Amino acid sequence: MRNVLFIMCDQLRWDHLGCAGHPFLRTPNIDALAARGVRFDQAYVQSGICGPSRMSFYTGRYVASHGATHNRVPLSVGEVTLGWHLRESGRTLALAGKTHMLPDTHGMKRLLLDGQDELAVLLREGWFSLVDRHDGHHAETDSAYAHWLRRQGYDGADPWTEHVIAVTAPDGSVRNGWKMRNARLPARVAEEHSETAYTTDMALRFIEEQGEQPWVLHLSYVKPHWPYIAPAPYHAMYGPEETLPVQRHEAERGPDAHPVLREFQAEEVAQSFQRDECIAAVRPTYQGLIAQLDAHLGRVWELLERMGRWEDTLVVFTSDHGDYLGDHWLGEKELFHDCIQRVPMILALPGGVAGRVESRFVEAVDIAPTILDALGLPAAEHVMEGRSLLPLLRGEERAEWRGFAISELDWTFRGARRRLGLPTGQHRAFMIRDRDWKYVHWTSGMPPQLFDLRADPEEFHDLGRAPEQEAVRARMREALWDWASRLKCRTTLTWAEAEFRTDRHKAVGVFYGEW
Amino acid sequence: MRNVLFIMCDQLRWDHLGCAGHPFLRTPNIDALAARGVRFDQAYVQSGICGPSRMSFYTGRYVASHGATHNRVPLSVGEVTLGWHLRESGRTLALAGKTHMLPDTHGMKRLLLDGQDELAVLLREGWFSLVDRHDGHHAETDSAYAHWLRRQGYDGADPWTEHVIAVTAPDGSVRNGWKMRNARLPARVAEEHSETAYTTDMALRFIEEQGEQPWVLHLSYVKPHWPYIAPAPYHAMYGPEETLPVQRHEAERGPDAHPVLREFQAEEVAQSFQRDECIAAVRPTYQGLIAQLDAHLGRVWELLERMGRWEDTLVVFTSDHGDYLGDHWLGEKELFHDCIQRVPMILALPGGVAGRVESRFVEAVDIAPTILDALGLPAAEHVMEGRSLLPLLRGEERAEWRGFAISELDWTFRGARRRLGLPTGQHRAFMIRDRDWKYVHWTSGMPPQLFDLRADPEEFHDLGRAPEQEAVRARMREALWDWASRLKCRTTLTWAEAEFRTDRHKAVGVFYGEW
């Protein structure tokens, strides 16, 4: 294997793919990738928010280990990412699109690394080398994409806000794309100038430019993440009747609802998504954005085909988390329902098995070890907590595989925390999900949650305080402790070095213990 | 409070002080400190080995958080120590003696910090500013202590090995101080040139030189740690009949002994200490070394008195862990018996309560927060996991205090691990001790340990596999999980910053969720 194309979508639910069984949404190119490789049907992220989930993808470590617990939390300068591991072997991790990497300004200042030299730039980017970074979701005045848009004729101080997420009403007036009531209207940007098209262009150019040189590219789309605005024709490709039925139940907002869930249901985004008209406006456009992504992935597949890259390139397709879209009376993300934590994950390995659906649990932390393994590079097993998926891609029936998936949340940064009367600090939650149960442990005095996934696959009925299920909860807490006890905190020595330093005292002139 | 004198001994057991009830050993100066302040009778370290225990003292963090899990494991360049916290406030943490700080050479190289500039030196020293560093236990050819010894007339390439830990036999011959059979013989160094005297001299000079300038000094002795060699007259101050009875029981080495305990009992140091003659040789000298320490602390107290420093100096006296000395058929340290994990801890706060014995659980991680609190500096609550002891030093009866102590072990680096057939990796153990029970969770397939401290305070009878105690074990495992769930992984933002960033999306131009 010479190359890796690591494709990530932002906020793409596991169930919004044709190959995953969506009854209306058509994703022929993503489906074609699944036909070339393995589609993991039980793939979980380590956090239901962009930043921490991505840092788990990039470090191969659980959130409790890498510490970037929320979108607003920098990754410590002491953490090591896939980009560094590749650099150690003389390779480069190129980026086209989003990472949500926040630099550790305190740590960099402490270590006098806050200059403008190459190292400081690499650290700020989490050891990615930029083809083009585009994190999206924010006004853009001076970014490469903003300048490119202006060259395409989109004037204005902030062409993203004024064109890419602005829409045109039937009366010709311009409306605000942040307002979800406008989601069915077309963006004021031509499809070929939208974010998805732009990021694809950057990736295609990069791949072409490499020629026969090996490369590792992270092609990281900002869509179908909000603002839910699609350019024509994708804004109108699906109608409300072609979307999945909303998954919500009165039991979820009764007086016995979990206090944190109740507070998240009180947030503005949840209140909006509790309106049927909001669901009817957003879901079709969300699907349109996915259809657009799929179309542009078709362009990528064509280039791989033309250059012969399918023969020497591992292709990874996944997402950083899902989107509630009104399910469970919620909008946005963060909490632990499957529509957030379970993500699409397809890997196509040249020479590997094709067209397989694999339902063993895989996690975001597995991707970085898989990439190193595919490239034949050292495993960095002293820091990475995931495991290479290559055996599964090769169809090996391994006797032992994990039986659960883990995810975490730091809910310090949400108004929900304040409304519950909790001071700032570190307010955490931990999810463990096995085949039959999903358990969530909340700190800060909050009760646990428990769902019986056999009887209640929709996760409507919280058994977290049901007396008859205490044995299950105790078992799941023990499994969480077992997981926590295996986290890799000793990151400053490789395993080979640890082996070398075992029982070495006499070799270094220390003769304790002799009578 | 203007100054802090943070005194640490190396390998000093909690029960080897006059004020702790030792029936023979006299420590009048340490006892006098206890009379000035609070003696914590249930003080626990976070690791039973020097390096990790000290890193917990210096970072205020549990081993699972700071990651320097063994003596041979560097502290990550991403970790922050008390020395840094003091520097951020314009203060300096001075060092006279030992830290066991190992630089993170991989991390420093990754960040191009492997030069010889001031920052690199500070990082290598864990943000301590050196008065004099003397880690002991190793041959010394080019250290400040070695040069000083030569100036005092101790010739040789390695005056430490040739004089400080060499002994003179009655026939005048020179013998090897590493051999414990020689422990009763006097060192070939005059008392005033021994390590304890030298380190005290460095500290006294530093304190005098500061005059009325405020200071924070870590006075960190390498004794009574092995080699168990004392200069005259301390080598002969106590006889075998004046030592504590050895605590060991046949049940501890029967066929049902814990496999890791059994393998530690097979190590050379344990085999040696299983000889009564070894115990009889070592324990008196170990006591002599403590008596010597006590005498030199008397010199420190005199200087504090003469300079008026008792009025404006917080004095901390503690140890990094204990020493088996033959108890439990073991030598050295690492495992979880109280003779290792429980340490002396005395704090004297000017204006605080005097002569009190406090038996609430305190931990090594509490010392750094206590020092910051005493100096009126920011608490660094986003990284430090201990809590300030000032309320206890002031005699405040706080409603809430911790009900247990935690310690950890990474036993990867011991031959015991290899003899158990385990490959390299991260082989961990976690101790939790409350008033009544001590529970140890072992990873890597090892069974747990459990001791009923009411019925079996000597910790002879391991109930880790006793069927009737499963409920206790389950409760202790849950307490471990609760502890693990509160570890502070989000270290790149202060709590004030986290509060500021809560629900800030609209303030930064992100309007998701509006209908």
Side-chain angles (χ1 to χ4, degrees):
Chain A
M1 205 56 40
R2 298 197 322 156
N3 318 300
V4 178
L5 177 58
F6 170 19
I7 304 166
M8 189 176 285
C9 301
D10 198 345
Q11 203 138 326
L12 174 59
R13 288 166 60 126
W14 74 273
D15 55 6
H16 270 60
L17 292 181
C19 55
H22 195 290
F24 306 104
L25 176 60
R26 292 172 299 277
T27 53
N29 291 301
I30 298 168
D31 300 356
L33 184 71
R36 279 184 182 272
V38 177
R39 183 168 70 81
F40 292 93
D41 195 36
Q42 294 286 338
Y44 283 81
V45 286
Q46 274 53 78
S47 165
I49 332 177
C50 302
S53 173
R54 286 160 184 269
M55 298 311 127
S56 283
F57 274 106
Y58 303 152
T59 61
R61 289 161 64 72
Y62 292 98
V63 178
S65 292
H66 67 60
T69 60
H70 197 275
N71 283 348
R72 298 151 206 183
V73 178
L75 183 70
S76 166
V77 72
E79 284 294 309
V80 178
T81 65
L82 178 63
W84 166 256
H85 294 295
L86 291 174
R87 285 182 79 86
E88 263 200 306
S89 299
R91 304 290 302 266
T92 296
L93 177 54
L95 169 70
K98 167 170 172 165
T99 63
H100 213 116
M101 171 75 199
L102 281 191
D104 177 8
T105 49
H106 293 316
M108 290 178 71
K109 192 171 172 201
R110 185 173 70 247
L111 301 174
L112 307 181
L113 295 169
D114 47 348
Q116 294 300 329
D117 53 302
E118 186 196 6
L119 174 63
V121 172
L122 277 167
L123 280 175
R124 285 196 198 97
E125 297 297 344
W127 301 97
F128 281 94
S129 295
L130 304 194
V131 176
D132 183 73
R133 179 167 173 178
H134 175 67
D135 267 20
H137 327 325
H138 287 83
E140 303 209 19
T141 55
D142 197 33
S143 68
Y145 181 48
H147 288 296
W148 184 85
L149 284 170
R150 289 193 196 100
R151 288 199 298 279
Q152 315 309 318
Y154 299 94
D155 293 332
D158 172 11
W160 182 80
T161 299
E162 293 165 43
H163 295 279
V164 178
I165 67 149
V167 292
T168 308
D171 65 4
S173 64
V174 176
R175 297 196 188 157
N176 181 344
W178 285 111
K179 301 283 188 190
M180 295 192 285
R181 65 178 72 239
N182 296 326
R184 299 302 311 280
L185 299 173
R188 294 186 71 222
V189 73
E191 194 281 323
E192 66 266 31
H193 301 141
S194 66
E195 294 167 287
T196 296
Y198 172 77
T199 299
T200 306
D201 288 353
M202 295 295 113
L204 293 179
R205 192 173 71 189
F206 171 82
I207 295 170
E208 280 202 289
E209 283 175 358
Q210 304 314 300
E212 294 304 308
Q213 295 302 313
W215 47 268
V216 182
L217 174 65
H218 185 37
L219 166 52
S220 185
Y221 292 107
V222 297
K223 301 318 274 184
H225 192 290
W226 48 253
Y228 303 107
I229 297 300
Y234 295 103
H235 76 293
M237 187 165 277
Y238 296 98
E241 71 289 355
E242 294 173 299
T243 63
L244 294 180
V246 65
Q247 297 286 345
R248 64 191 186 192
H249 191 287
E250 283 301 327
E252 296 181 284
R253 55 175 184 174
D256 293 336
H258 191 278
V260 180
L261 176 63
R262 203 166 52 219
E263 292 301 335
F264 271 72
Q265 287 167 345
E267 305 258 333
E268 181 179 29
V269 64
Q271 295 285 321
S272 294
F273 270 108
Q274 286 164 28
R275 309 167 76 111
D276 289 341
E277 58 191 337
C278 179
I279 294 171
V282 168
R283 288 195 176 205
T285 298
Y286 181 80
Q287 292 183 192
L289 288 165
I290 298 164
Q292 187 195 6
L293 277 165
D294 186 82
H296 283 277
L297 288 174
R299 298 170 62 207
V300 179
W301 298 174
E302 279 171 25
L303 181 66
L304 296 183
E305 186 72 36
R306 178 155 60 80
M307 295 182 74
R309 288 287 85 84
W310 285 114
E311 310 309 316
D312 57 13
T313 304
L314 169 69
V315 180
V316 179
F317 174 84
T318 188
S319 172
D320 58 352
H321 53 75
D323 191 323
Y324 275 113
L325 299 175
D327 285 353
H328 309 288
W329 312 100
L330 291 166
E332 260 280 85
K333 54 213 177 198
E334 299 204 25
L335 301 183
F336 295 102
H337 300 92
D338 257 21
C339 59
I340 300 301
Q341 303 292 338
R342 189 175 166 191
V343 291
M345 193 174 284
I346 301 168
L347 280 84
L349 178 76
V353 296
R356 180 172 191 153
V357 178
E358 169 65 62
S359 56
R360 282 178 274 191
F361 286 108
V362 297
E363 298 186 298
V365 291
D366 297 337
I367 294 303
T370 301
I371 290 172
L372 293 181
D373 194 11
L375 295 171
L377 302 180
E381 59 209 346
H382 61 301
V383 286
M384 292 207 182
E385 295 168 334
R387 59 185 78 177
S388 169
L389 301 178
L390 254 59
L392 304 188
L393 299 179
R394 294 188 180 122
E396 294 170 16
E397 296 301 330
R398 303 234 302 188
E400 220 183 332
W401 197 257
R402 68 167 72 85
F404 55 82
I406 299 281
S407 189
E408 299 174 59
L409 174 64
D410 178 356
W411 49 290
T412 308
F413 296 87
R414 292 298 294 261
R417 184 261 300 166
R418 285 184 178 151
R419 290 193 298 278
L420 286 164
L422 294 165
T424 196
Q426 192 175 241
H427 302 282
R428 298 171 76 179
F430 301 82
M431 177 202 92
I432 182 164
R433 184 228 204 275
D434 64 15
R435 293 272 162 224
D436 297 334
W437 298 93
K438 181 181 283 184
Y439 175 77
V440 183
H441 175 91
W442 294 84
T443 66
S444 316
M446 295 297 121
Q449 292 177 288
L450 180 71
F451 297 96
D452 179 346
L453 301 173
R454 296 161 306 183
D456 176 31
E458 299 87 359
E459 308 175 78
F460 290 151
H461 304 285
D462 182 358
L463 305 175
R465 285 162 283 181
E468 68 276 14
Q469 300 298 355
E470 178 46 29
V472 175
R473 291 192 297 268
R475 182 170 61 75
M476 299 301 263
R477 280 195 300 277
E478 292 219 13
L480 274 172
W481 160 240
D482 186 67
W483 163 79
S485 75
R486 294 164 196 274
L487 290 171
K488 290 180 178 171
C489 65
R490 189 228 289 148
T491 60
T492 53
L493 282 187
T494 66
W495 281 14
E497 289 169 324
E499 182 63 30
F500 179 76
R501 295 187 187 193
T502 297
D503 256 0
R504 283 271 298 170
H505 53 281
K506 291 195 181 184
V508 296
V510 174
F511 304 96
Y512 74 84
E514 297 187 2
W515 169 244
Chain B
M1 204 57 38
R2 299 198 323 159
N3 317 300
V4 178
L5 177 57
F6 170 19
I7 304 165
M8 189 176 284
C9 301
D10 199 345
Q11 203 138 331
L12 173 59
R13 288 167 60 127
W14 73 272
D15 55 6
H16 271 59
L17 292 181
C19 54
H22 196 290
F24 306 105
L25 175 59
R26 291 171 299 278
T27 53
N29 292 302
I30 297 168
D31 300 356
L33 184 71
R36 280 185 181 273
V38 176
R39 183 168 70 80
F40 293 92
D41 195 35
Q42 293 286 339
Y44 283 82
V45 287
Q46 272 54 78
S47 164
I49 332 176
C50 302
S53 174
R54 286 160 184 270
M55 297 311 127
S56 283
F57 274 106
Y58 304 152
T59 61
R61 289 159 65 72
Y62 292 99
V63 178
S65 293
H66 68 60
T69 60
H70 197 276
N71 283 348
R72 297 151 207 182
V73 178
L75 183 69
S76 166
V77 74
E79 283 294 311
V80 179
T81 65
L82 177 64
W84 167 255
H85 294 296
L86 291 174
R87 286 180 79 85
E88 263 200 306
S89 299
R91 304 290 303 265
T92 297
L93 178 53
L95 169 71
K98 167 170 173 164
T99 62
H100 214 117
M101 172 74 199
L102 282 191
D104 177 9
T105 49
H106 293 316
M108 290 178 70
K109 192 170 171 200
R110 184 172 70 245
L111 301 174
L112 307 181
L113 296 169
D114 47 349
Q116 293 300 329
D117 53 300
E118 186 196 5
L119 174 64
V121 172
L122 276 167
L123 280 176
R124 285 196 197 95
E125 297 297 345
W127 301 97
F128 281 94
S129 295
L130 303 194
V131 177
D132 183 73
R133 178 167 173 178
H134 175 66
D135 267 20
H137 328 325
H138 287 83
E140 303 209 18
T141 56
D142 197 33
S143 68
Y145 181 49
H147 289 295
W148 183 84
L149 284 170
R150 290 192 196 100
R151 289 199 297 277
Q152 315 309 319
Y154 300 94
D155 293 330
D158 172 11
W160 182 80
T161 301
E162 294 166 44
H163 296 279
V164 178
I165 67 150
V167 292
T168 309
D171 64 3
S173 65
V174 175
R175 295 195 188 157
N176 182 343
W178 285 110
K179 302 281 189 191
M180 294 192 285
R181 66 178 73 239
N182 296 326
R184 299 302 312 277
L185 298 173
R188 293 186 70 222
V189 72
E191 194 281 323
E192 65 268 30
H193 300 141
S194 66
E195 293 166 289
T196 295
Y198 172 77
T199 298
T200 306
D201 289 351
M202 295 295 114
L204 293 179
R205 192 174 70 190
F206 171 82
I207 295 171
E208 280 202 287
E209 283 175 358
Q210 304 315 300
E212 294 303 309
Q213 294 301 312
W215 48 267
V216 182
L217 175 65
H218 185 38
L219 166 52
S220 185
Y221 292 107
V222 298
K223 297 316 252 185
H225 192 290
W226 47 253
Y228 303 105
I229 296 299
Y234 296 102
H235 75 293
M237 187 165 278
Y238 296 97
E241 71 289 355
E242 295 172 298
T243 63
L244 295 180
V246 65
Q247 297 286 344
R248 62 190 187 193
H249 192 285
E250 283 302 327
E252 297 180 283
R253 53 174 186 176
D256 293 335
H258 190 278
V260 179
L261 176 63
R262 201 166 54 220
E263 291 302 336
F264 271 72
Q265 287 167 344
E267 304 260 333
E268 181 179 29
V269 64
Q271 296 283 320
S272 294
F273 270 108
Q274 286 163 28
R275 308 166 76 112
D276 289 341
E277 58 192 337
C278 180
I279 294 171
V282 168
R283 288 195 176 207
T285 298
Y286 181 79
Q287 293 182 193
L289 288 165
I290 298 165
Q292 186 193 6
L293 277 165
D294 186 81
H296 283 276
L297 288 174
R299 298 170 61 208
V300 179
W301 298 173
E302 278 170 25
L303 181 65
L304 296 183
E305 185 72 37
R306 178 156 59 80
M307 295 182 74
R309 286 288 84 85
W310 285 114
E311 310 308 317
D312 56 13
T313 304
L314 169 70
V315 180
V316 179
F317 174 85
T318 189
S319 172
D320 58 352
H321 52 74
D323 190 322
Y324 275 113
L325 298 175
D327 285 352
H328 309 288
W329 313 99
L330 292 165
E332 260 279 86
K333 54 211 177 200
E334 300 204 22
L335 301 184
F336 294 102
H337 300 92
D338 257 21
C339 59
I340 300 302
Q341 302 294 337
R342 188 174 166 192
V343 291
M345 193 174 284
I346 301 168
L347 280 84
L349 177 77
V353 295
R356 179 172 192 153
V357 178
E358 169 65 63
S359 57
R360 282 177 275 191
F361 286 109
V362 297
E363 299 186 297
V365 291
D366 298 336
I367 295 302
T370 301
I371 291 172
L372 292 181
D373 195 10
L375 295 171
L377 302 180
E381 60 208 346
H382 61 301
V383 286
M384 291 208 181
E385 294 168 334
R387 59 186 78 177
S388 170
L389 301 178
L390 254 60
L392 304 188
L393 299 179
R394 294 188 180 123
E396 295 169 17
E397 295 301 330
R398 304 236 301 186
E400 220 182 333
W401 197 255
R402 68 166 71 84
F404 56 81
I406 299 280
S407 188
E408 300 173 59
L409 174 65
D410 179 356
W411 48 290
T412 308
F413 297 86
R414 293 297 294 260
R417 184 260 301 168
R418 285 184 179 150
R419 291 193 298 279
L420 287 164
L422 293 165
T424 195
Q426 192 175 240
H427 301 282
R428 298 172 76 178
F430 300 82
M431 176 202 93
I432 182 164
R433 183 227 203 275
D434 65 14
R435 294 272 162 223
D436 298 333
W437 298 93
K438 181 181 284 184
Y439 175 78
V440 184
H441 175 93
W442 295 84
T443 66
S444 316
M446 294 297 122
Q449 291 176 289
L450 180 72
F451 297 96
D452 179 344
L453 301 173
R454 295 160 306 183
D456 176 31
E458 299 87 1
E459 308 175 75
F460 289 152
H461 304 285
D462 182 357
L463 306 174
R465 285 161 283 179
E468 67 277 14
Q469 299 298 354
E470 177 47 29
V472 175
R473 293 193 295 269
R475 182 170 61 75
M476 299 301 262
R477 280 194 301 278
E478 291 219 13
L480 274 172
W481 159 241
D482 186 66
W483 163 78
S485 76
R486 293 164 196 274
L487 290 171
K488 290 180 179 171
C489 65
R490 188 229 288 150
T491 59
T492 53
L493 281 187
T494 66
W495 281 13
E497 289 169 324
E499 181 63 29
F500 180 76
R501 294 186 188 193
T502 297
D503 255 1
R504 283 272 298 171
H505 53 282
K506 291 195 181 184
V508 297
V510 174
F511 302 97
Y512 74 84
E514 297 186 2
W515 168 244

